[in-house]
Amino acid sequence: MEHEASNSAVAVPEQSLMERLREVRQRTLDLCTSLTAEDMMVQSCPEASPAKWHLAHTAWFFESFILSKFAPEYRVFNPDFPWLFNSYYEGFSAFPEKKLRSSFSRPGLNEVFDYRKHVDESLNRLMESGAPPAALERIELGVNHEEQHQELLLTDMLHAFYTNPLRPKYWEQGTGIRDQKNREQGSEIRDQPAALGFRQFQGGLCEIGFAGEGFCFDNELARHQVWLQPYGLADRLVTCGEYLEFIGDGGYSRPELWLSAGWAAVKTQGWRAPLYWWKEDGAKENGADEGERSVFTLRGAVPLSWMMDAPVSHISFFEADAYARWAGRRLPSEAEWEVAAEGIPVDGNLLDSWNLTPVPATNLIRNENGAKHQNENGAKHYGDCWVWTGSAYLPYPGFRPLEGALGEYNGKFMSGQMVLRGGSCVTPKKHIRASYRNFFAPETRWQFSGIRLAS
Amino acid sequence: MEHEASNSAVAVPEQSLMERLREVRQRTLDLCTSLTAEDMMVQSCPEASPAKWHLAHTAWFFESFILSKFAPEYRVFNPDFPWLFNSYYEGFSAFPEKKLRSSFSRPGLNEVFDYRKHVDESLNRLMESGAPPAALERIELGVNHEEQHQELLLTDMLHAFYTNPLRPKYWEQGTGIRDQKNREQGSEIRDQPAALGFRQFQGGLCEIGFAGEGFCFDNELARHQVWLQPYGLADRLVTCGEYLEFIGDGGYSRPELWLSAGWAAVKTQGWRAPLYWWKEDGAKENGADEGERSVFTLRGAVPLSWMMDAPVSHISFFEADAYARWAGRRLPSEAEWEVAAEGIPVDGNLLDSWNLTPVPATNLIRNENGAKHQNENGAKHYGDCWVWTGSAYLPYPGFRPLEGALGEYNGKFMSGQMVLRGGSCVTPKKHIRASYRNFFAPETRWQFSGIRLAS
Amino acid sequence: MEHEASNSAVAVPEQSLMERLREVRQRTLDLCTSLTAEDMMVQSCPEASPAKWHLAHTAWFFESFILSKFAPEYRVFNPDFPWLFNSYYEGFSAFPEKKLRSSFSRPGLNEVFDYRKHVDESLNRLMESGAPPAALERIELGVNHEEQHQELLLTDMLHAFYTNPLRPKYWEQGTGIRDQKNREQGSEIRDQPAALGFRQFQGGLCEIGFAGEGFCFDNELARHQVWLQPYGLADRLVTCGEYLEFIGDGGYSRPELWLSAGWAAVKTQGWRAPLYWWKEDGAKENGADEGERSVFTLRGAVPLSWMMDAPVSHISFFEADAYARWAGRRLPSEAEWEVAAEGIPVDGNLLDSWNLTPVPATNLIRNENGAKHQNENGAKHYGDCWVWTGSAYLPYPGFRPLEGALGEYNGKFMSGQMVLRGGSCVTPKKHIRASYRNFFAPETRWQFSGIRLAS
Amino acid sequence: MEHEASNSAVAVPEQSLMERLREVRQRTLDLCTSLTAEDMMVQSCPEASPAKWHLAHTAWFFESFILSKFAPEYRVFNPDFPWLFNSYYEGFSAFPEKKLRSSFSRPGLNEVFDYRKHVDESLNRLMESGAPPAALERIELGVNHEEQHQELLLTDMLHAFYTNPLRPKYWEQGTGIRDQKNREQGSEIRDQPAALGFRQFQGGLCEIGFAGEGFCFDNELARHQVWLQPYGLADRLVTCGEYLEFIGDGGYSRPELWLSAGWAAVKTQGWRAPLYWWKEDGAKENGADEGERSVFTLRGAVPLSWMMDAPVSHISFFEADAYARWAGRRLPSEAEWEVAAEGIPVDGNLLDSWNLTPVPATNLIRNENGAKHQNENGAKHYGDCWVWTGSAYLPYPGFRPLEGALGEYNGKFMSGQMVLRGGSCVTPKKHIRASYRNFFAPETRWQFSGIRLAS
């Protein structure tokens, strides 16, 4: 998903929008502090983009859709950038093939930083001089756009570092993973995660889609009625340990568990486990035994044994669907997820927690003294991993794309993709909401995507 | 779509089932009377199968799922056939790759005819000796399965003959197309088709899915409630003439009209018109001017000018969707189509009419004396072309696949495909109904697939 | 290799040319007596063509290059055939993509037979009425062209029947393979094939290329001088048994034995043995133990154990090259092979022997009474398998392609291919000679291609 | 071509080898002075590698084949580097897929510089302490290896900068191209290049392959006799202007001029001109008229009109072959080229001239005052572009690869490639010689490859 979108009405006061803009723009830079200019050149799979490109493209968005239109004296930073950093807006300009982004050694990283500064200063001037409501609406869109690229920047760097045979770490400092390691060493018996429970819902005539004040994307509208059968929704995500049972039970070699297209992917792609699981041969640097599975994370490789109670991540829709069939359950529809989310505050293992990886949804974590303590991120409706729903990504009744080239932000991707809900450990907390619709092709695995079962 | 399925309850009396079985089995043979053994070897695209394979596979279905299970003394016709003619039932046996079917020169056509006879006689014996209800249910499934392959046999032969540079005709005798030719020659002024009208529906809480007595596939269940907004549905299909306007207006060169995946297909596949439209160079055998477009049909090539008022066919979902966007409309959902079909008898340009190609949906056809007469097939809810809906092919709430290998008939294809409704000019009339769900990948064009607009 | 070519001078008297023409034309028909019209539709790999196409194309060659030019009253049999059955002569006409040949169900086989008859009768009339020398030259070319397609017809049918999961037999009657079976059963001790010997040659200034009277292709000219180092050439081909030792010694898993492109092919194509070797699972119909290797031949599957002393066949240049490196030898250059062939009469296991498969090159074959007898086909310079040389297929100094479209017969393929020499068990005896250059891409395996070592 | 090789005997005194080593190692760094760390990450086609990888791999070669073997106290710089920077030596270690090199953001450029320094210092110590002859031989091999990668680094950066839509310049300072521009502007009439002449050679029994003292690669041995027909060799390379005539005469649309595989490449790849020629639309920054062709060089884009008399470059073997056929000539064999080179000193437009692009081979260049002056690089046997020969890259009689993993340097690539001779404008002068064999696949275009005709 590359994104761009709309809001029905801008209710945030101008001042706070300016603060939010500054905060988000700054966080993009903060996410790059551990990266070198060389790291930010890597594009390791067709879905990903170089981190430098994300930096430039998010500036481009403000330049092209706000400054060039609403700031009368705005001077384009570089006459080549408007087409160079266009992602996919056919209605705006021609643009380079996506795969060429890895050749953008020029402009250099410093020039891209200058570009961002130029854009920031211009936005500042525009807002201080009293931007019209239409400009403010689009600035809010730009803020949300940039948050989407923050998540993509992190998922793309995870893939880039996994592809590098040296497997560098994106982030090295203190981590919940380390806590898990202590836990392992401190107690001989691994506590089991809480048994999976299901919250029950009555269904009937419900409403989904964005309502109320604040921002939403065009694909969250129109709010509309849907009829739901009674259903249950799991109170936490499926864990790595549970997923390992599926593997151990022949999950990847039993065609009866899979959709036909999923089974074809298993055979063609050679899937045997989630994307970032692999077996060590030899080196024990990360504490894993020889032959033991490891999991690659933004904090480097960790033994799978430390992650057993954390939600399984980086699986395709096909794997989520096969797991659910194996477990005698199914995936929820997006409406079921959204109705269940009503009234639940946005909280969980999101980017702001800075775990950068899913963490156990359990109340059984022990501290170094052996005392159990509550994992504050446990069993939340949001965070850790986006959950694959069983819903195809299609327009809502009454969907109207934004005017002009911005109409390409979401609408043209409404084919061949499945909806995901709930945000992940690299989604900014202010970015997500109950009506938020993420979407990816069903074979996608490089995002933080997992499973919440329905019944 | 290759198929196989279930019924809730068999209400048809045994005797009539036997008659229906004979009728359907015979029609499969009838469809081959104009074909040579060589014609029946051709597999001209990955989606298609050789006609001989369809003959054998439909016998295999009865042998494998009915006779081998319910007929105690049944002797398998040839010990290799159970795996050789298995299409895709992983739960039944291993099976050859689909693309190898074109190498099945042995068994020869005569042996396949013998196979069918052997199966027919065995079925006869089974039914005369009093088959158990479970067997009768599956026989009815086999009958419906064979009807699906009748349609596929014709669409596959159309593709085979289009691929042959000599462009042979599947059927040469008297045709509605000839009538259209007369019409063209008999009147200087081409009458316009009736203007497109829209029937209005209130929506609200509706039910879809199969109900009542008789046969249905497992994917039509469970019948369930859906909530629909008020909507309109076109009273006829989009014609070739209307589609030509879309082409003339740059339809295939304007990315803003297309879904992203559709636009990629346009560029990759070089689409410029429906599948079987092409430009003559030189030869005027079929009456077309040099440079004029022709349409290839089961009755051979005809000038597009003769087909202007007939429904456009052999377009992908992406083309249907782009046309609808160009026309300021949209495609209906499958629920909208089904609710609108309630109470309308199954009638239209179906296989039984033996047109073998879409015909004009207009009341303006003139006879040779210039008098207008009603086209009996015009403006029907069924027939001519399957209509692409905007609905992804997903399980209904409460969907339960059949037991055992037959559970693979429909369920495992519920990913990456769009639903089509209403039957085509090569669908047997008794095969179709309001709740019937056909499905193909959105880029599919070799089926008789067209457009009914919604508003 | 699809072919067409030239001769320097026609020394064969007209009468004998007519006889040779009749003989060759008849043999093409004879090769089809065991085939059905359906068999003759199969095109099971991109390199192959349907047998029916070979029948038509060889008639097309005479029609297009002789009759249409030299027979004043010649009437083209069917106005579509001149472009329909053109293989690759850009200078003659447009032609269908090769892969479409499998869609040519029309014309039917009988029409193709009529086409051949029409061409035969017209050729007869032309020759009886005194054809000009230029026409006679091209008739001789057409005869040789047809012989090439006889070999291709057989290799293509072998592949077609191997692809058919039922593995039919091209020919069922009495065979040397059966003799080998008797031998196996009649003597407990399998006699070893004669040890490999090497004939020594002085080299120095030699000549290669066609000389003397009779026909040759343009690619065998100009005869020219080459300088050779002293060399040795094996007195027989490498056997299946010897090749099995190479496999047993890790031949397919040791990169140091392979050219880089060959090693890539091993990994990409999953090569583990020659093309038509496979392991039985279960069925013992052909006498093989479960898990034992079988070899598929034009006479059906036979256990590898019966073929141990026969030349290994259906290997790529890369496999031949790797085997030679493993054996501490090398492949001969085409000049080395040709110089060694001087003065040796054309004799060996060629098509005329009707073995249709390589046979042991050994003098140790025993009859049922245990008495050794000489295998008349043993240790010949010609036949069994074409031998891969280490020479790239390039123009000889002074090479001049034929005039006009016929110049495309050989010349345009002089890139990316390796030369093979010596003919095979499906090469007509009259077709082959010392200067004959066959050529295929180095990864090709569907031809009868084997190994003669040099030192 | 990635390389590594052998020498028969080391005749250079140790002292001078040390100087040569320092000189070559320093030049690699010099070639990077205009590049950023980001530039050195780009890998823009499967044939190319990132410049940083070239830096590391050339250090790896010395570490792996000299220091680790001959320097007793040598400490590997980083334990991962021996496998990380192995290019293709299966006999040495496993190595990463080539395409992954673009993900090597770590180690950073500075670490690679440190690696080089570590290796340089260790080599220094080894040589100062009296390295054994076997070590010195391999050091000389390493020097030649590094020179090959210098050329590759430049060709890869040219492709990288061409792929970047901004088309940056590798080098901006004073250039012969600028002189040509002045020439254009200074004289209304463009002087024609000297007419093409042919030097005649008698042929007969000749010798090719390396002889004498000094270094050579294993593929230049054994020196051996060949028999050549009398031949002529052009006295200069084919120019851009001449090649433009070929294009204007339909060169890219006439199949009769092409080898079959070449014609397939024309259609598949859409070739219409040499690799780095393109048409401007709009921007005239480089002085070209709208719609005029430009040529991309290491000095940026220049109008084709300024390059008319310079040798055409960046064409495939197929294009060279088609041009020769169009011109009624042919390409020389490698033996013809080498025999003609005997006794001609190595001189021409090589890397040391620092033109970085082919320059006119003409004596008609005028200075700013209009006076003609001799182009010192004109009409040389070496330099400007490698010339495609008509010879496949095969082992010479008596070829013996180096011992051990180094045997993979050249030998395993002797399949599917054509020989090129003579060096280019980015080949170091000391690197090239008469017996030097370069080789690439016939469709390769990213190297400086051109045409010298033979007759």
Side-chain angles (χ1 to χ4, degrees), chain B residues 199-393:
Chain B
R199 293 168 59 207
Q200 299 301 321
F201 298 88
Q202 290 308 321
L205 191 59
C206 306
E207 285 200 348
I208 64 167
F210 182 75
E213 299 190 336
F215 173 85
C216 78
F217 286 108
D218 57 1
N219 64 6
E220 299 169 55
L221 296 174
R223 185 165 171 91
H224 62 284
Q225 291 163 305
V226 294
W227 185 269
L228 296 182
Q229 313 291 320
Y231 67 100
L233 193 66
D235 56 10
R236 61 165 174 78
L237 304 185
V238 169
T239 65
C240 290
E242 289 162 343
Y243 198 82
L244 194 60
E245 287 179 49
F246 164 71
I247 297 176
D249 195 34
Y252 283 93
S253 55
R254 293 166 53 186
E256 72 270 22
L257 299 174
W258 295 79
L259 288 165
S260 182
W263 185 239
V266 166
K267 288 188 291 186
T268 308
Q269 312 289 330
W271 290 344
R272 288 288 171 271
L275 174 56
Y276 294 128
W277 292 21
W278 88 94
K279 292 224 179 158
E280 289 293 313
D281 12 78
K284 305 192 180 185
E285 193 192 341
N286 66 8
D289 290 334
E290 193 166 345
E292 189 186 346
R293 287 180 192 274
S294 296
V295 182
F296 190 70
T297 75
L298 285 168
R299 294 167 181 280
V302 295
L304 176 57
S305 59
W306 302 358
M307 299 285 279
M308 293 295 274
D309 299 341
V312 65
S313 186
H314 299 293
I315 57 170
S316 63
F317 167 79
F318 294 127
E319 289 161 297
D321 173 81
Y323 178 88
R325 193 169 289 109
W326 173 79
R329 305 293 184 174
R330 62 176 178 85
L331 301 179
S333 70
E334 63 170 325
E336 288 171 338
W337 188 95
E338 184 170 334
V339 167
E342 275 185 350
I344 299 183
V346 173
D347 190 18
N349 179 19
L350 295 153
L351 177 57
D352 310 64
S353 310
W354 207 243
N355 285 310
L356 300 175
T357 191
V359 295
T362 165
N363 59 357
L364 294 174
I365 285 184
R366 290 171 192 275
N367 63 17
E368 292 188 28
N369 301 323
K372 293 186 185 180
H373 66 90
Q374 184 75 28
N375 177 348
E376 299 202 348
N377 288 311
K380 297 291 168 58
H381 203 70
Y382 292 92
D384 284 312
C385 299
W386 294 94
V387 298
W388 287 106
T389 72
S391 299
Y393 179 54

Side-chain angles (χ1 to χ4, degrees), chain D residues 14 94 124 130 186 201 260 264 268 277 302 367 448 455:
Chain D
E14 280 182 40
N124 218 29
F201 298 87
S260 181
T268 308
W277 292 21
V302 295
N367 63 17
F448 286 88
S455 64

